[in-house]
Amino acid sequence: MDFLGNHIEALIFCAPKAIKIEDIQSCLSEMFEAEIPLEDIEKGLAGIQEKYSADEFPFEVVKSGGGYQFLTKPAYQASIGILLKQQSKRRLSASAMETLSIIAYKQPVTKSEIEQIRGVNCDYTVQKLLEKELVEIKGKSEAIGRPMLYGTSEKFMDYFGINDLKELPTPKDFTTAENEIGDSEPEDQPTIEEE
């Protein structure tokens, strides 16, 4: 079983993104020219996860985005945080995060629907999100002109470390701080519409 476990570990290590158990099974079955039972792979995965749970390893095998991958343990977040700051070019801009949030919560959604919510043109941002493979085209709307429908991809789930869209925070999880500056206008001040 250790021999099979080593092959599973190698596949997880070499995969460019979280590898699904079905993909592991497919690779191993082709290599050994025999159907490898899912139970054997699950046993191998459990052994690997147990092995890397030891304190001597700074990383572990985690199920994320519907598959398995090596991730750094939480105890090393500070040093990883410094590295990520230095690589901030890879971070999403505020406009990309806003657009991605709208797509995640409203999907499938058209570009014009996103623009109605954001109030600005989002051609460039949607294009960048497509290039980063965080969103994908899910089909065409039945509306006039049959605009493209956008939704999140598996890479989106992997990027945010979730396995299902149900794991996204719900609006009740967000609270606004009391007494924020600019929270409301004094009653005697006219609003722009009233002027």
mmCIF file of all heavy atoms in Angstrom, residues 90 92 96 100 103 122-137 150-151 153 155-156 159:
data_model
loop_
_atom_site.group_PDB
_atom_site.id
_atom_site.type_symbol
_atom_site.label_atom_id
_atom_site.label_comp_id
_atom_site.label_asym_id
_atom_site.label_seq_id
_atom_site.Cartn_x
_atom_site.Cartn_y
_atom_site.Cartn_z
ATOM 1 N N ARG A 90 0.103 39.725 -8.288
ATOM 2 C CA ARG A 90 -0.828 38.645 -8.582
ATOM 3 C C ARG A 90 -2.176 38.852 -7.908
ATOM 4 O O ARG A 90 -3.132 38.168 -8.207
ATOM 5 C CB ARG A 90 -0.229 37.306 -8.130
ATOM 6 C CG ARG A 90 1.019 36.932 -8.905
ATOM 7 C CD ARG A 90 1.614 35.641 -8.420
ATOM 8 N NE ARG A 90 0.644 34.574 -8.488
ATOM 9 C CZ ARG A 90 0.628 33.543 -7.633
ATOM 10 N NH1 ARG A 90 1.496 33.457 -6.680
ATOM 11 N NH2 ARG A 90 -0.277 32.597 -7.768
ATOM 12 N N LEU A 92 -5.780 40.412 -6.856
ATOM 13 C CA LEU A 92 -6.875 40.994 -7.637
ATOM 14 C C LEU A 92 -7.101 42.428 -7.203
ATOM 15 O O LEU A 92 -7.053 42.740 -6.015
ATOM 16 C CB LEU A 92 -8.155 40.180 -7.420
ATOM 17 C CG LEU A 92 -8.141 38.744 -7.934
ATOM 18 C CD1 LEU A 92 -9.409 38.026 -7.506
ATOM 19 C CD2 LEU A 92 -8.008 38.704 -9.439
ATOM 20 N N ALA A 96 -11.702 44.137 -9.707
ATOM 21 C CA ALA A 96 -11.794 42.715 -10.059
ATOM 22 C C ALA A 96 -12.519 41.941 -8.957
ATOM 23 O O ALA A 96 -13.348 41.066 -9.241
ATOM 24 C CB ALA A 96 -10.410 42.131 -10.302
ATOM 25 N N LEU A 100 -15.927 39.982 -9.466
ATOM 26 C CA LEU A 100 -15.911 38.557 -9.145
ATOM 27 C C LEU A 100 -16.973 38.222 -8.099
ATOM 28 O O LEU A 100 -17.635 37.189 -8.187
ATOM 29 C CB LEU A 100 -14.517 38.154 -8.659
ATOM 30 C CG LEU A 100 -14.233 36.672 -8.502
ATOM 31 C CD1 LEU A 100 -14.526 35.894 -9.781
ATOM 32 C CD2 LEU A 100 -12.780 36.453 -8.082
ATOM 33 N N ILE A 103 -20.360 38.146 -9.791
ATOM 34 C CA ILE A 103 -20.495 36.913 -10.583
ATOM 35 C C ILE A 103 -20.742 35.722 -9.663
ATOM 36 O O ILE A 103 -21.618 34.892 -9.915
ATOM 37 C CB ILE A 103 -19.257 36.693 -11.477
ATOM 38 C CG1 ILE A 103 -19.181 37.787 -12.550
ATOM 39 C CG2 ILE A 103 -19.294 35.305 -12.125
ATOM 40 C CD1 ILE A 103 -17.877 37.814 -13.341
ATOM 41 N N CYS A 122 -17.436 47.104 -17.417
ATOM 42 C CA CYS A 122 -16.565 46.087 -16.825
ATOM 43 C C CYS A 122 -15.974 45.134 -17.873
ATOM 44 O O CYS A 122 -15.581 44.018 -17.538
ATOM 45 C CB CYS A 122 -17.301 45.329 -15.738
ATOM 46 S SG CYS A 122 -18.710 44.410 -16.324
ATOM 47 N N ASP A 123 -15.891 45.576 -19.124
ATOM 48 C CA ASP A 123 -15.310 44.739 -20.186
ATOM 49 C C ASP A 123 -13.904 44.265 -19.830
ATOM 50 O O ASP A 123 -13.594 43.078 -19.911
ATOM 51 C CB ASP A 123 -15.240 45.501 -21.520
ATOM 52 C CG ASP A 123 -16.604 45.704 -22.154
ATOM 53 O OD1 ASP A 123 -17.536 44.964 -21.785
ATOM 54 O OD2 ASP A 123 -16.741 46.589 -23.003
ATOM 55 N N TYR A 124 -13.050 45.214 -19.444
ATOM 56 C CA TYR A 124 -11.652 44.906 -19.141
ATOM 57 C C TYR A 124 -11.541 43.937 -17.965
ATOM 58 O O TYR A 124 -10.801 42.960 -18.010
ATOM 59 C CB TYR A 124 -10.881 46.201 -18.844
ATOM 60 C CG TYR A 124 -9.444 45.974 -18.448
ATOM 61 C CD1 TYR A 124 -8.464 45.739 -19.409
ATOM 62 C CD2 TYR A 124 -9.066 45.988 -17.101
ATOM 63 C CE1 TYR A 124 -7.144 45.518 -19.040
ATOM 64 C CE2 TYR A 124 -7.753 45.770 -16.731
ATOM 65 C CZ TYR A 124 -6.792 45.539 -17.701
ATOM 66 O OH TYR A 124 -5.487 45.320 -17.333
ATOM 67 N N THR A 125 -12.299 44.211 -16.902
ATOM 68 C CA THR A 125 -12.235 43.386 -15.694
ATOM 69 C C THR A 125 -12.707 41.970 -15.965
ATOM 70 O O THR A 125 -12.066 41.004 -15.534
ATOM 71 C CB THR A 125 -13.073 44.023 -14.571
ATOM 72 O OG1 THR A 125 -12.679 45.385 -14.423
ATOM 73 C CG2 THR A 125 -12.886 43.303 -13.261
ATOM 74 N N VAL A 126 -13.810 41.817 -16.681
ATOM 75 C CA VAL A 126 -14.312 40.483 -17.005
ATOM 76 C C VAL A 126 -13.295 39.734 -17.855
ATOM 77 O O VAL A 126 -13.028 38.543 -17.640
ATOM 78 C CB VAL A 126 -15.697 40.550 -17.700
ATOM 79 C CG1 VAL A 126 -16.104 39.198 -18.260
ATOM 80 C CG2 VAL A 126 -16.757 41.061 -16.728
ATOM 81 N N GLN A 127 -12.679 40.440 -18.809
ATOM 82 C CA GLN A 127 -11.657 39.825 -19.664
ATOM 83 C C GLN A 127 -10.475 39.324 -18.821
ATOM 84 O O GLN A 127 -9.974 38.222 -19.027
ATOM 85 C CB GLN A 127 -11.177 40.817 -20.731
ATOM 86 C CG GLN A 127 -10.218 40.217 -21.746
ATOM 87 C CD GLN A 127 -10.795 39.015 -22.481
ATOM 88 O OE1 GLN A 127 -11.941 39.011 -22.891
ATOM 89 N NE2 GLN A 127 -9.992 37.971 -22.621
ATOM 90 N N LYS A 128 -10.032 40.127 -17.846
ATOM 91 C CA LYS A 128 -8.917 39.734 -16.972
ATOM 92 C C LYS A 128 -9.295 38.526 -16.115
ATOM 93 O O LYS A 128 -8.476 37.627 -15.897
ATOM 94 C CB LYS A 128 -8.482 40.905 -16.071
ATOM 95 C CG LYS A 128 -7.707 41.955 -16.810
ATOM 96 C CD LYS A 128 -6.366 41.408 -17.258
ATOM 97 C CE LYS A 128 -5.636 42.308 -18.184
ATOM 98 N NZ LYS A 128 -4.565 41.645 -18.899
ATOM 99 N N LEU A 129 -10.526 38.500 -15.626
ATOM 100 C CA LEU A 129 -10.984 37.365 -14.812
ATOM 101 C C LEU A 129 -11.067 36.091 -15.657
ATOM 102 O O LEU A 129 -10.775 34.997 -15.170
ATOM 103 C CB LEU A 129 -12.329 37.677 -14.159
ATOM 104 C CG LEU A 129 -12.306 38.750 -13.067
ATOM 105 C CD1 LEU A 129 -13.721 39.119 -12.646
ATOM 106 C CD2 LEU A 129 -11.481 38.302 -11.870
ATOM 107 N N LEU A 130 -11.441 36.244 -16.932
ATOM 108 C CA LEU A 130 -11.451 35.097 -17.849
ATOM 109 C C LEU A 130 -10.025 34.595 -18.091
ATOM 110 O O LEU A 130 -9.771 33.397 -18.092
ATOM 111 C CB LEU A 130 -12.112 35.472 -19.179
ATOM 112 C CG LEU A 130 -13.631 35.565 -19.191
ATOM 113 C CD1 LEU A 130 -14.118 36.246 -20.469
ATOM 114 C CD2 LEU A 130 -14.274 34.188 -19.055
ATOM 115 N N GLU A 131 -9.094 35.546 -18.284
ATOM 116 C CA GLU A 131 -7.687 35.179 -18.513
ATOM 117 C C GLU A 131 -7.095 34.465 -17.305
ATOM 118 O O GLU A 131 -6.316 33.526 -17.445
ATOM 119 C CB GLU A 131 -6.849 36.432 -18.828
ATOM 120 C CG GLU A 131 -7.085 36.984 -20.212
ATOM 121 C CD GLU A 131 -6.386 38.320 -20.444
ATOM 122 O OE1 GLU A 131 -5.465 38.678 -19.671
ATOM 123 O OE2 GLU A 131 -6.777 39.021 -21.405
ATOM 124 N N LYS A 132 -7.489 34.893 -16.087
ATOM 125 C CA LYS A 132 -6.997 34.255 -14.860
ATOM 126 C C LYS A 132 -7.749 32.952 -14.565
ATOM 127 O O LYS A 132 -7.459 32.259 -13.605
ATOM 128 C CB LYS A 132 -7.140 35.218 -13.672
ATOM 129 C CG LYS A 132 -6.177 36.385 -13.712
ATOM 130 C CD LYS A 132 -6.409 37.289 -12.509
ATOM 131 C CE LYS A 132 -5.549 38.513 -12.538
ATOM 132 N NZ LYS A 132 -4.213 38.289 -12.053
ATOM 133 N N GLU A 133 -8.747 32.655 -15.409
ATOM 134 C CA GLU A 133 -9.564 31.442 -15.301
ATOM 135 C C GLU A 133 -10.345 31.358 -13.988
ATOM 136 O O GLU A 133 -10.647 30.275 -13.503
ATOM 137 C CB GLU A 133 -8.704 30.184 -15.492
ATOM 138 C CG GLU A 133 -8.060 30.111 -16.866
ATOM 139 C CD GLU A 133 -7.130 28.912 -17.011
ATOM 140 O OE1 GLU A 133 -7.041 28.096 -16.070
ATOM 141 O OE2 GLU A 133 -6.492 28.807 -18.058
ATOM 142 N N LEU A 134 -10.669 32.526 -13.406
ATOM 143 C CA LEU A 134 -11.488 32.551 -12.196
ATOM 144 C C LEU A 134 -12.975 32.542 -12.551
ATOM 145 O O LEU A 134 -13.803 32.147 -11.734
ATOM 146 C CB LEU A 134 -11.153 33.778 -11.348
ATOM 147 C CG LEU A 134 -9.743 33.780 -10.756
ATOM 148 C CD1 LEU A 134 -9.448 35.113 -10.091
ATOM 149 C CD2 LEU A 134 -9.556 32.641 -9.775
ATOM 150 N N VAL A 135 -13.299 33.000 -13.758
ATOM 151 C CA VAL A 135 -14.672 32.922 -14.266
ATOM 152 C C VAL A 135 -14.640 32.244 -15.625
ATOM 153 O O VAL A 135 -13.594 32.167 -16.268
ATOM 154 C CB VAL A 135 -15.363 34.308 -14.372
ATOM 155 C CG1 VAL A 135 -15.463 34.980 -13.037
ATOM 156 C CG2 VAL A 135 -14.701 35.198 -15.375
ATOM 157 N N GLU A 136 -15.795 31.748 -16.025
ATOM 158 C CA GLU A 136 -15.905 31.105 -17.332
ATOM 159 C C GLU A 136 -17.271 31.398 -17.924
ATOM 160 O O GLU A 136 -18.198 31.759 -17.209
ATOM 161 C CB GLU A 136 -15.653 29.601 -17.229
ATOM 162 C CG GLU A 136 -16.572 28.879 -16.275
ATOM 163 C CD GLU A 136 -16.151 27.449 -15.986
ATOM 164 O OE1 GLU A 136 -15.021 27.065 -16.332
ATOM 165 O OE2 GLU A 136 -16.968 26.717 -15.404
ATOM 166 N N ILE A 137 -17.365 31.238 -19.225
ATOM 167 C CA ILE A 137 -18.635 31.442 -19.918
ATOM 168 C C ILE A 137 -19.492 30.204 -19.683
ATOM 169 O O ILE A 137 -19.062 29.083 -19.924
ATOM 170 C CB ILE A 137 -18.400 31.700 -21.416
ATOM 171 C CG1 ILE A 137 -17.619 33.009 -21.599
ATOM 172 C CG2 ILE A 137 -19.724 31.739 -22.174
ATOM 173 C CD1 ILE A 137 -17.065 33.236 -22.984
ATOM 174 N N TYR A 150 -21.936 34.533 -17.455
ATOM 175 C CA TYR A 150 -20.678 34.241 -16.762
ATOM 176 C C TYR A 150 -20.949 33.608 -15.406
ATOM 177 O O TYR A 150 -21.926 33.910 -14.742
ATOM 178 C CB TYR A 150 -19.869 35.532 -16.574
ATOM 179 C CG TYR A 150 -19.481 36.163 -17.885
ATOM 180 C CD1 TYR A 150 -20.266 37.154 -18.464
ATOM 181 C CD2 TYR A 150 -18.337 35.754 -18.561
ATOM 182 C CE1 TYR A 150 -19.927 37.729 -19.683
ATOM 183 C CE2 TYR A 150 -17.988 36.320 -19.778
ATOM 184 C CZ TYR A 150 -18.783 37.298 -20.332
ATOM 185 O OH TYR A 150 -18.445 37.854 -21.532
ATOM 186 N N GLY A 151 -20.034 32.731 -15.013
ATOM 187 C CA GLY A 151 -20.101 32.094 -13.705
ATOM 188 C C GLY A 151 -18.686 31.795 -13.232
ATOM 189 O O GLY A 151 -17.722 31.953 -13.988
ATOM 190 N N SER A 153 -15.453 29.502 -11.890
ATOM 191 C CA SER A 153 -14.826 28.263 -12.355
ATOM 192 C C SER A 153 -14.341 27.442 -11.164
ATOM 193 O O SER A 153 -14.412 27.882 -10.018
ATOM 194 C CB SER A 153 -13.630 28.607 -13.246
ATOM 195 O OG SER A 153 -12.652 29.274 -12.457
ATOM 196 N N LYS A 155 -11.268 26.885 -10.674
ATOM 197 C CA LYS A 155 -10.080 27.613 -10.213
ATOM 198 C C LYS A 155 -10.481 28.679 -9.191
ATOM 199 O O LYS A 155 -9.730 28.968 -8.263
ATOM 200 C CB LYS A 155 -9.351 28.242 -11.394
ATOM 201 C CG LYS A 155 -7.974 28.757 -11.036
ATOM 202 C CD LYS A 155 -7.163 29.112 -12.255
ATOM 203 C CE LYS A 155 -5.792 29.637 -11.867
ATOM 204 N NZ LYS A 155 -4.992 30.021 -13.020
ATOM 205 N N PHE A 156 -11.686 29.247 -9.334
ATOM 206 C CA PHE A 156 -12.204 30.208 -8.362
ATOM 207 C C PHE A 156 -12.295 29.548 -6.994
ATOM 208 O O PHE A 156 -11.870 30.102 -5.988
ATOM 209 C CB PHE A 156 -13.591 30.702 -8.816
ATOM 210 C CG PHE A 156 -14.375 31.421 -7.743
ATOM 211 C CD1 PHE A 156 -14.188 32.773 -7.514
ATOM 212 C CD2 PHE A 156 -15.305 30.735 -6.976
ATOM 213 C CE1 PHE A 156 -14.920 33.430 -6.537
ATOM 214 C CE2 PHE A 156 -16.029 31.381 -5.999
ATOM 215 C CZ PHE A 156 -15.838 32.738 -5.776
ATOM 216 N N TYR A 159 -8.858 28.994 -5.671
ATOM 217 C CA TYR A 159 -8.246 30.284 -5.320
ATOM 218 C C TYR A 159 -8.684 30.729 -3.924
ATOM 219 O O TYR A 159 -7.899 31.248 -3.153
ATOM 220 C CB TYR A 159 -8.643 31.330 -6.366
ATOM 221 C CG TYR A 159 -7.955 32.665 -6.246
ATOM 222 C CD1 TYR A 159 -6.749 32.904 -6.894
ATOM 223 C CD2 TYR A 159 -8.517 33.702 -5.500
ATOM 224 C CE1 TYR A 159 -6.111 34.149 -6.807
ATOM 225 C CE2 TYR A 159 -7.891 34.943 -5.404
ATOM 226 C CZ TYR A 159 -6.695 35.146 -6.060
ATOM 227 O OH TYR A 159 -6.065 36.367 -5.961
#
